[in-house]
Amino acid sequence: MARVAIVTGGTRGIGEAISVALKDHGITVAANYAGNEERARAFTERTGIKSYKWDVADHQACLDGVAQVEAELGPVDIVVNNAGITRDSTLLKQTWEQWQEVIDTNLGGCFNMAKAAFPGMRERGWGRIVNIGSINGQAGQYGQVNYAAAKSGIHGFTKALAQEGARFGVTVNAIAPGYIDTDMVAAVPPDVLAKIVAKIPVGRLGKAEEIARGVLFLTGEDSGFVTGSTLSINGGQHMY
């Protein structure tokens, strides 16, 4: 029986690349999304991957969503916590709502999804959780105290949960992408983007498929000795 994976934020950008890569490796994938139903329908029609709508910041919605996936596809063996949002602003201008929304989605979503899926993985003696962090959670970024705090928290969450899962065959790892050629980065003004690329030693933006290949490694059957690690995929921009 094929492994079953949930990829949060799995219908676009990095998440879409991860969903497709897992499917291409024989894994049954459920792609979670939060709001863009038209985009999700197009994704499912294009890839054949079923999409499921719930907000990862909503604890009960995550419990219900995982239960629905398991009822329809089978026990969840792999969770990729990719869903994330930005609400950029300097601290002086940032509202409490902007802070809390990013924390609840980016970091809280990891807790909510792990809470829903980790117990079953532990009982079955096999599981893979991959949390998508960020270079900005490692190095910080002006105007992103909320985002950097949430992503940095993901790295600590990963190391702690890895210790809980290790002896039960459940690995927990993180990937910290650098600047990737997605819709979010494409919206950056050209002059600003040029300055970003100039700081990347390999001289280009990353590709979503390059992040997906990292996920494939960390979720593989033969990756059981890798846990509590953060894989930085950033073109050498930040070596940590």
Side-chain angles (χ1 to χ4, degrees), residues 49-65:
I49 298 171
K50 191 169 183 179
S51 54
Y52 293 80
K53 182 180 180 180
W54 73 81
D55 181 0
V56 298
D58 184 328
H59 183 72
Q60 188 60 50
C62 290
L63 297 178
D64 295 342

Side-chain angles (χ1 to χ4, degrees), residues 189-212:
D191 59 326
V192 176
L193 188 58
K195 292 177 182 178
I196 291 172
V197 173
K199 295 180 180 179
I200 302 173
V202 301
R204 64 172 175 85
L205 297 173
K207 299 177 182 178
E209 292 76 14
E210 292 175 304
I211 307 303

